[in-house]
Amino acid sequence: LLSTLVIYLVSEDVRLACESTFWTSWVILMAIGVLVISQAKGKEIRMSKYFIETSHQQQMFEEHTALLQTMLPPKVLPFILNSHSDSQSYGEEFESCTIMMLEVNMDEAARFLSPNKLVRGLNRIFTLFDVLIDESMASIYKVETVSSVYMVASGVPEYHPKHASLMIDLAIRLLDISSSLHWQVGHKTKIRIGIHTGSVFAGVPGKICPRYRFFGDTVNTAARVQSRSEWGRIWLSGS
């Protein structure tokens, strides 16, 4: 009987020890499982955030590029996008091109129009000119608008041997179109145009609001010819 009791007690201790070991192992396995699941979930969240941020950055880059495409020539855009140094800039020289300066009679219209109507009218005129250049003119590049002056270049940044005649054709078409425009009933839109041919420097100076700009005496001469022209006329320099 004693030996039987001893065997039972020993067996019970073994059983309890085994059960204790089992539950301990089970708790450890559960903890490991929770840890693994937690790490996997955390990795999934990080990956999700990474893809969201990457997608957002890609979208911002595409929007940034689309905006620059409206501000810079296709020839220049890759250089600007790949430029990572503040010391880098883009510039080139053209031996021969034609510059046109076109002024709208904004001062006269300001006498009878409110600022809002004046800007809306000028926007309508310049937008019409933009569409004409964008749709039908080869080797014609709109440089910028400064106040009521609309500046266009021909033969740059892509050279064309007939840049002067292309610009004169454009000027005639713009003059014809402007004759049918009105600020309001009874007040026709008037423009005057100056054209000059010569050499220029062109480039994109600065990082904020980058624009493809032109420099040199050719630009200044075209501006002087335009300012001395008469309303409804196209004046050409001796060149």
mmCIF file of all heavy atoms in Angstrom, residues 108-145:
data_model
loop_
_atom_site.group_PDB
_atom_site.id
_atom_site.type_symbol
_atom_site.label_atom_id
_atom_site.label_comp_id
_atom_site.label_asym_id
_atom_site.label_seq_id
_atom_site.Cartn_x
_atom_site.Cartn_y
_atom_site.Cartn_z
ATOM 1 N N GLU A 108 -5.719 103.716 -71.799
ATOM 2 C CA GLU A 108 -6.950 104.342 -72.277
ATOM 3 C C GLU A 108 -8.181 103.658 -71.695
ATOM 4 O O GLU A 108 -9.141 104.316 -71.281
ATOM 5 C CB GLU A 108 -6.990 104.283 -73.808
ATOM 6 C CG GLU A 108 -8.226 104.920 -74.417
ATOM 7 C CD GLU A 108 -8.211 104.847 -75.927
ATOM 8 O OE1 GLU A 108 -7.112 104.854 -76.517
ATOM 9 O OE2 GLU A 108 -9.309 104.790 -76.525
ATOM 10 N N ALA A 109 -8.154 102.300 -71.641
ATOM 11 C CA ALA A 109 -9.291 101.555 -71.113
ATOM 12 C C ALA A 109 -9.472 101.789 -69.620
ATOM 13 O O ALA A 109 -10.596 101.723 -69.101
ATOM 14 C CB ALA A 109 -9.115 100.061 -71.386
ATOM 15 N N ALA A 110 -8.374 102.066 -68.894
ATOM 16 C CA ALA A 110 -8.454 102.277 -67.449
ATOM 17 C C ALA A 110 -9.260 103.517 -67.071
ATOM 18 O O ALA A 110 -9.693 103.662 -65.930
ATOM 19 C CB ALA A 110 -7.044 102.384 -66.870
ATOM 20 N N ARG A 111 -9.509 104.402 -68.028
ATOM 21 C CA ARG A 111 -10.270 105.615 -67.742
ATOM 22 C C ARG A 111 -11.749 105.336 -67.519
ATOM 23 O O ARG A 111 -12.440 106.113 -66.858
ATOM 24 C CB ARG A 111 -10.102 106.614 -68.898
ATOM 25 C CG ARG A 111 -8.672 107.052 -69.136
ATOM 26 C CD ARG A 111 -8.557 107.876 -70.409
ATOM 27 N NE ARG A 111 -7.166 108.182 -70.753
ATOM 28 C CZ ARG A 111 -6.781 108.720 -71.897
ATOM 29 N NH1 ARG A 111 -7.710 109.029 -72.826
ATOM 30 N NH2 ARG A 111 -5.506 108.961 -72.139
ATOM 31 N N PHE A 112 -12.253 104.238 -68.117
ATOM 32 C CA PHE A 112 -13.692 103.981 -67.990
ATOM 33 C C PHE A 112 -14.023 102.582 -67.478
ATOM 34 O O PHE A 112 -15.204 102.241 -67.354
ATOM 35 C CB PHE A 112 -14.380 104.197 -69.356
ATOM 36 C CG PHE A 112 -13.770 103.409 -70.487
ATOM 37 C CD1 PHE A 112 -14.147 102.095 -70.734
ATOM 38 C CD2 PHE A 112 -12.816 103.996 -71.309
ATOM 39 C CE1 PHE A 112 -13.590 101.383 -71.770
ATOM 40 C CE2 PHE A 112 -12.251 103.277 -72.361
ATOM 41 C CZ PHE A 112 -12.636 101.967 -72.591
ATOM 42 N N LEU A 113 -13.012 101.756 -67.152
ATOM 43 C CA LEU A 113 -13.266 100.411 -66.640
ATOM 44 C C LEU A 113 -12.775 100.277 -65.205
ATOM 45 O O LEU A 113 -11.775 100.894 -64.811
ATOM 46 C CB LEU A 113 -12.554 99.360 -67.510
ATOM 47 C CG LEU A 113 -13.081 99.141 -68.925
ATOM 48 C CD1 LEU A 113 -12.223 98.097 -69.647
ATOM 49 C CD2 LEU A 113 -14.536 98.697 -68.918
ATOM 50 N N SER A 114 -13.477 99.455 -64.429
ATOM 51 C CA SER A 114 -13.020 99.151 -63.078
ATOM 52 C C SER A 114 -11.791 98.238 -63.181
ATOM 53 O O SER A 114 -11.575 97.582 -64.205
ATOM 54 C CB SER A 114 -14.125 98.440 -62.299
ATOM 55 O OG SER A 114 -14.390 97.157 -62.854
ATOM 56 N N PRO A 115 -10.958 98.166 -62.115
ATOM 57 C CA PRO A 115 -9.779 97.288 -62.167
ATOM 58 C C PRO A 115 -10.126 95.835 -62.498
ATOM 59 O O PRO A 115 -9.413 95.186 -63.266
ATOM 60 C CB PRO A 115 -9.193 97.412 -60.759
ATOM 61 C CG PRO A 115 -9.616 98.774 -60.303
ATOM 62 C CD PRO A 115 -10.991 98.960 -60.881
ATOM 63 N N ASN A 116 -11.222 95.342 -61.948
ATOM 64 C CA ASN A 116 -11.613 93.955 -62.191
ATOM 65 C C ASN A 116 -11.960 93.737 -63.666
ATOM 66 O O ASN A 116 -11.512 92.763 -64.298
ATOM 67 C CB ASN A 116 -12.808 93.589 -61.308
ATOM 68 C CG ASN A 116 -13.202 92.134 -61.455
ATOM 69 O OD1 ASN A 116 -12.366 91.242 -61.413
ATOM 70 N ND2 ASN A 116 -14.484 91.881 -61.651
ATOM 71 N N LYS A 117 -12.752 94.628 -64.242
ATOM 72 C CA LYS A 117 -13.126 94.491 -65.650
ATOM 73 C C LYS A 117 -11.930 94.696 -66.568
ATOM 74 O O LYS A 117 -11.825 94.070 -67.623
ATOM 75 C CB LYS A 117 -14.235 95.492 -65.980
ATOM 76 C CG LYS A 117 -15.579 95.160 -65.359
ATOM 77 C CD LYS A 117 -16.655 96.139 -65.809
ATOM 78 C CE LYS A 117 -18.004 95.774 -65.229
ATOM 79 N NZ LYS A 117 -19.067 96.722 -65.660
ATOM 80 N N LEU A 118 -11.012 95.568 -66.132
ATOM 81 C CA LEU A 118 -9.823 95.823 -66.938
ATOM 82 C C LEU A 118 -8.946 94.569 -67.020
ATOM 83 O O LEU A 118 -8.498 94.178 -68.109
ATOM 84 C CB LEU A 118 -9.030 96.985 -66.333
ATOM 85 C CG LEU A 118 -7.816 97.465 -67.124
ATOM 86 C CD1 LEU A 118 -8.249 98.047 -68.462
ATOM 87 C CD2 LEU A 118 -7.034 98.500 -66.319
ATOM 88 N N VAL A 119 -8.719 93.924 -65.881
ATOM 89 C CA VAL A 119 -7.888 92.714 -65.852
ATOM 90 C C VAL A 119 -8.579 91.570 -66.589
ATOM 91 O O VAL A 119 -7.935 90.799 -67.322
ATOM 92 C CB VAL A 119 -7.566 92.310 -64.400
ATOM 93 C CG1 VAL A 119 -6.845 90.963 -64.374
ATOM 94 C CG2 VAL A 119 -6.707 93.373 -63.728
ATOM 95 N N ARG A 120 -9.897 91.459 -66.416
ATOM 96 C CA ARG A 120 -10.626 90.408 -67.132
ATOM 97 C C ARG A 120 -10.539 90.607 -68.641
ATOM 98 O O ARG A 120 -10.380 89.654 -69.416
ATOM 99 C CB ARG A 120 -12.086 90.401 -66.675
ATOM 100 C CG ARG A 120 -12.293 89.813 -65.287
ATOM 101 C CD ARG A 120 -13.692 90.054 -64.791
ATOM 102 N NE ARG A 120 -14.701 89.511 -65.696
ATOM 103 C CZ ARG A 120 -16.016 89.722 -65.567
ATOM 104 N NH1 ARG A 120 -16.459 90.491 -64.565
ATOM 105 N NH2 ARG A 120 -16.862 89.185 -66.409
ATOM 106 N N GLY A 121 -10.643 91.859 -69.074
ATOM 107 C CA GLY A 121 -10.544 92.142 -70.509
ATOM 108 C C GLY A 121 -9.151 91.843 -71.047
ATOM 109 O O GLY A 121 -9.001 91.261 -72.128
ATOM 110 N N LEU A 122 -8.117 92.224 -70.288
ATOM 111 C CA LEU A 122 -6.743 91.966 -70.714
ATOM 112 C C LEU A 122 -6.468 90.456 -70.746
ATOM 113 O O LEU A 122 -5.784 89.965 -71.659
ATOM 114 C CB LEU A 122 -5.767 92.664 -69.761
ATOM 115 C CG LEU A 122 -4.309 92.751 -70.224
ATOM 116 C CD1 LEU A 122 -4.199 93.561 -71.511
ATOM 117 C CD2 LEU A 122 -3.434 93.359 -69.130
ATOM 118 N N ASN A 123 -7.015 89.750 -69.780
ATOM 119 C CA ASN A 123 -6.856 88.290 -69.767
ATOM 120 C C ASN A 123 -7.509 87.654 -70.995
ATOM 121 O O ASN A 123 -6.956 86.732 -71.608
ATOM 122 C CB ASN A 123 -7.475 87.717 -68.489
ATOM 123 C CG ASN A 123 -7.430 86.200 -68.462
ATOM 124 O OD1 ASN A 123 -6.369 85.593 -68.349
ATOM 125 N ND2 ASN A 123 -8.599 85.572 -68.577
ATOM 126 N N ARG A 124 -8.668 88.158 -71.375
ATOM 127 C CA ARG A 124 -9.366 87.629 -72.558
ATOM 128 C C ARG A 124 -8.537 87.867 -73.822
ATOM 129 O O ARG A 124 -8.411 86.971 -74.675
ATOM 130 C CB ARG A 124 -10.738 88.305 -72.684
ATOM 131 C CG ARG A 124 -11.566 87.857 -73.882
ATOM 132 C CD ARG A 124 -12.968 88.420 -73.769
ATOM 133 N NE ARG A 124 -12.976 89.857 -73.631
ATOM 134 C CZ ARG A 124 -13.009 90.715 -74.647
ATOM 135 N NH1 ARG A 124 -13.024 90.253 -75.889
ATOM 136 N NH2 ARG A 124 -13.030 92.013 -74.443
ATOM 137 N N ILE A 125 -7.930 89.035 -73.928
ATOM 138 C CA ILE A 125 -7.121 89.361 -75.110
ATOM 139 C C ILE A 125 -5.861 88.493 -75.168
ATOM 140 O O ILE A 125 -5.556 87.870 -76.187
ATOM 141 C CB ILE A 125 -6.738 90.851 -75.091
ATOM 142 C CG1 ILE A 125 -7.989 91.725 -75.203
ATOM 143 C CG2 ILE A 125 -5.756 91.172 -76.217
ATOM 144 C CD1 ILE A 125 -7.743 93.192 -74.897
ATOM 145 N N PHE A 126 -5.132 88.430 -74.053
ATOM 146 C CA PHE A 126 -3.884 87.665 -74.031
ATOM 147 C C PHE A 126 -4.141 86.164 -74.188
ATOM 148 O O PHE A 126 -3.340 85.457 -74.806
ATOM 149 C CB PHE A 126 -3.130 87.937 -72.736
ATOM 150 C CG PHE A 126 -2.403 89.260 -72.727
ATOM 151 C CD1 PHE A 126 -1.835 89.745 -71.559
ATOM 152 C CD2 PHE A 126 -2.293 90.016 -73.882
ATOM 153 C CE1 PHE A 126 -1.158 90.953 -71.542
ATOM 154 C CE2 PHE A 126 -1.622 91.228 -73.879
ATOM 155 C CZ PHE A 126 -1.053 91.702 -72.707
ATOM 156 N N THR A 127 -5.239 85.673 -73.638
ATOM 157 C CA THR A 127 -5.570 84.254 -73.801
ATOM 158 C C THR A 127 -5.847 83.926 -75.259
ATOM 159 O O THR A 127 -5.449 82.865 -75.759
ATOM 160 C CB THR A 127 -6.788 83.878 -72.943
ATOM 161 O OG1 THR A 127 -6.492 84.118 -71.554
ATOM 162 C CG2 THR A 127 -7.148 82.408 -73.113
ATOM 163 N N LEU A 128 -6.516 84.836 -75.957
ATOM 164 C CA LEU A 128 -6.766 84.650 -77.386
ATOM 165 C C LEU A 128 -5.454 84.606 -78.169
ATOM 166 O O LEU A 128 -5.263 83.765 -79.058
ATOM 167 C CB LEU A 128 -7.655 85.788 -77.903
ATOM 168 C CG LEU A 128 -8.096 85.698 -79.371
ATOM 169 C CD1 LEU A 128 -8.918 84.436 -79.611
ATOM 170 C CD2 LEU A 128 -8.906 86.934 -79.745
ATOM 171 N N PHE A 129 -4.516 85.482 -77.808
ATOM 172 C CA PHE A 129 -3.198 85.465 -78.446
ATOM 173 C C PHE A 129 -2.465 84.156 -78.138
ATOM 174 O O PHE A 129 -1.801 83.577 -79.007
ATOM 175 C CB PHE A 129 -2.359 86.650 -77.965
ATOM 176 C CG PHE A 129 -2.890 87.996 -78.401
ATOM 177 C CD1 PHE A 129 -2.382 89.171 -77.857
ATOM 178 C CD2 PHE A 129 -3.893 88.104 -79.356
ATOM 179 C CE1 PHE A 129 -2.848 90.410 -78.250
ATOM 180 C CE2 PHE A 129 -4.374 89.338 -79.767
ATOM 181 C CZ PHE A 129 -3.848 90.497 -79.210
ATOM 182 N N ASP A 130 -2.562 83.684 -76.886
ATOM 183 C CA ASP A 130 -1.915 82.430 -76.480
ATOM 184 C C ASP A 130 -2.405 81.259 -77.330
ATOM 185 O O ASP A 130 -1.611 80.421 -77.777
ATOM 186 C CB ASP A 130 -2.194 82.124 -75.012
ATOM 187 C CG ASP A 130 -1.475 83.074 -74.067
ATOM 188 O OD1 ASP A 130 -0.541 83.760 -74.516
ATOM 189 O OD2 ASP A 130 -1.852 83.124 -72.879
ATOM 190 N N VAL A 131 -3.711 81.195 -77.508
ATOM 191 C CA VAL A 131 -4.297 80.091 -78.277
ATOM 192 C C VAL A 131 -3.807 80.132 -79.718
ATOM 193 O O VAL A 131 -3.465 79.093 -80.307
ATOM 194 C CB VAL A 131 -5.839 80.159 -78.223
ATOM 195 C CG1 VAL A 131 -6.454 79.147 -79.190
ATOM 196 C CG2 VAL A 131 -6.331 79.899 -76.806
ATOM 197 N N LEU A 132 -3.753 81.319 -80.301
ATOM 198 C CA LEU A 132 -3.290 81.462 -81.678
ATOM 199 C C LEU A 132 -1.857 80.974 -81.835
ATOM 200 O O LEU A 132 -1.524 80.238 -82.769
ATOM 201 C CB LEU A 132 -3.401 82.926 -82.111
ATOM 202 C CG LEU A 132 -2.928 83.243 -83.530
ATOM 203 C CD1 LEU A 132 -3.769 82.511 -84.554
ATOM 204 C CD2 LEU A 132 -2.954 84.749 -83.767
ATOM 205 N N ILE A 133 -0.990 81.351 -80.893
ATOM 206 C CA ILE A 133 0.410 80.941 -80.957
ATOM 207 C C ILE A 133 0.545 79.445 -80.713
ATOM 208 O O ILE A 133 1.293 78.742 -81.406
ATOM 209 C CB ILE A 133 1.238 81.733 -79.925
ATOM 210 C CG1 ILE A 133 1.321 83.201 -80.342
ATOM 211 C CG2 ILE A 133 2.638 81.138 -79.775
ATOM 212 C CD1 ILE A 133 1.993 84.092 -79.320
ATOM 213 N N ASP A 134 -0.174 78.935 -79.751
ATOM 214 C CA ASP A 134 -0.054 77.522 -79.383
ATOM 215 C C ASP A 134 -0.552 76.592 -80.484
ATOM 216 O O ASP A 134 0.006 75.510 -80.690
ATOM 217 C CB ASP A 134 -0.834 77.262 -78.093
ATOM 218 C CG ASP A 134 -0.633 75.856 -77.573
ATOM 219 O OD1 ASP A 134 0.527 75.464 -77.364
ATOM 220 O OD2 ASP A 134 -1.628 75.133 -77.394
ATOM 221 N N GLU A 135 -1.593 76.993 -81.184
ATOM 222 C CA GLU A 135 -2.226 76.085 -82.147
ATOM 223 C C GLU A 135 -1.651 76.169 -83.554
ATOM 224 O O GLU A 135 -1.637 75.175 -84.280
ATOM 225 C CB GLU A 135 -3.732 76.373 -82.214
ATOM 226 C CG GLU A 135 -4.486 75.972 -80.951
ATOM 227 C CD GLU A 135 -5.968 76.205 -81.087
ATOM 228 O OE1 GLU A 135 -6.368 76.851 -82.080
ATOM 229 O OE2 GLU A 135 -6.727 75.768 -80.208
ATOM 230 N N SER A 136 -1.174 77.324 -83.966
ATOM 231 C CA SER A 136 -0.876 77.460 -85.390
ATOM 232 C C SER A 136 0.511 77.984 -85.729
ATOM 233 O O SER A 136 0.855 78.062 -86.905
ATOM 234 C CB SER A 136 -1.906 78.400 -86.037
ATOM 235 O OG SER A 136 -1.847 79.677 -85.431
ATOM 236 N N MET A 137 1.325 78.312 -84.754
ATOM 237 C CA MET A 137 2.592 78.942 -85.062
ATOM 238 C C MET A 137 3.773 78.035 -84.727
ATOM 239 O O MET A 137 3.963 77.669 -83.570
ATOM 240 C CB MET A 137 2.735 80.266 -84.280
ATOM 241 C CG MET A 137 1.807 81.345 -84.787
ATOM 242 S SD MET A 137 2.241 81.816 -86.473
ATOM 243 C CE MET A 137 0.790 82.764 -86.918
ATOM 244 N N ALA A 138 4.550 77.671 -85.763
ATOM 245 C CA ALA A 138 5.758 76.880 -85.556
ATOM 246 C C ALA A 138 6.925 77.812 -85.231
ATOM 247 O O ALA A 138 7.044 78.897 -85.801
ATOM 248 C CB ALA A 138 6.076 76.071 -86.805
ATOM 249 N N SER A 139 7.787 77.373 -84.319
ATOM 250 C CA SER A 139 8.980 78.139 -83.942
ATOM 251 C C SER A 139 8.639 79.534 -83.419
ATOM 252 O O SER A 139 9.390 80.487 -83.630
ATOM 253 C CB SER A 139 9.952 78.258 -85.122
ATOM 254 O OG SER A 139 11.191 78.744 -84.698
ATOM 255 N N ILE A 140 7.493 79.656 -82.765
ATOM 256 C CA ILE A 140 7.108 80.899 -82.105
ATOM 257 C C ILE A 140 6.983 80.609 -80.617
ATOM 258 O O ILE A 140 6.303 79.661 -80.217
ATOM 259 C CB ILE A 140 5.765 81.449 -82.632
ATOM 260 C CG1 ILE A 140 5.859 81.785 -84.129
ATOM 261 C CG2 ILE A 140 5.339 82.669 -81.836
ATOM 262 C CD1 ILE A 140 6.657 83.006 -84.455
ATOM 263 N N TYR A 141 7.658 81.415 -79.806
ATOM 264 C CA TYR A 141 7.648 81.165 -78.361
ATOM 265 C C TYR A 141 7.196 82.422 -77.618
ATOM 266 O O TYR A 141 7.786 83.497 -77.788
ATOM 267 C CB TYR A 141 9.044 80.758 -77.886
ATOM 268 C CG TYR A 141 9.122 80.527 -76.398
ATOM 269 C CD1 TYR A 141 8.543 79.399 -75.827
ATOM 270 C CD2 TYR A 141 9.762 81.441 -75.576
ATOM 271 C CE1 TYR A 141 8.598 79.185 -74.453
ATOM 272 C CE2 TYR A 141 9.826 81.241 -74.198
ATOM 273 C CZ TYR A 141 9.250 80.114 -73.652
ATOM 274 O OH TYR A 141 9.303 79.905 -72.292
ATOM 275 N N LYS A 142 6.153 82.282 -76.818
ATOM 276 C CA LYS A 142 5.721 83.389 -75.969
ATOM 277 C C LYS A 142 6.674 83.497 -74.785
ATOM 278 O O LYS A 142 6.819 82.553 -74.003
ATOM 279 C CB LYS A 142 4.298 83.176 -75.466
ATOM 280 C CG LYS A 142 3.856 84.262 -74.473
ATOM 281 C CD LYS A 142 2.541 83.924 -73.809
ATOM 282 C CE LYS A 142 2.208 84.940 -72.722
ATOM 283 N NZ LYS A 142 0.954 84.614 -72.017
ATOM 284 N N VAL A 143 7.314 84.629 -74.648
ATOM 285 C CA VAL A 143 8.302 84.812 -73.589
ATOM 286 C C VAL A 143 7.626 85.192 -72.277
ATOM 287 O O VAL A 143 7.774 84.519 -71.262
ATOM 288 C CB VAL A 143 9.338 85.883 -73.997
ATOM 289 C CG1 VAL A 143 10.385 86.036 -72.904
ATOM 290 C CG2 VAL A 143 9.981 85.514 -75.321
ATOM 291 N N GLU A 144 6.852 86.274 -72.289
ATOM 292 C CA GLU A 144 6.211 86.738 -71.058
ATOM 293 C C GLU A 144 5.258 87.891 -71.372
ATOM 294 O O GLU A 144 5.226 88.413 -72.490
ATOM 295 C CB GLU A 144 7.259 87.210 -70.046
ATOM 296 C CG GLU A 144 8.109 88.384 -70.541
ATOM 297 C CD GLU A 144 9.177 88.788 -69.557
ATOM 298 O OE1 GLU A 144 9.082 88.381 -68.386
ATOM 299 O OE2 GLU A 144 10.100 89.514 -69.952
ATOM 300 N N THR A 145 4.504 88.271 -70.368
ATOM 301 C CA THR A 145 3.720 89.507 -70.420
ATOM 302 C C THR A 145 4.147 90.379 -69.253
ATOM 303 O O THR A 145 4.279 89.895 -68.126
ATOM 304 C CB THR A 145 2.211 89.225 -70.325
ATOM 305 O OG1 THR A 145 1.923 88.509 -69.110
ATOM 306 C CG2 THR A 145 1.738 88.391 -71.504
#
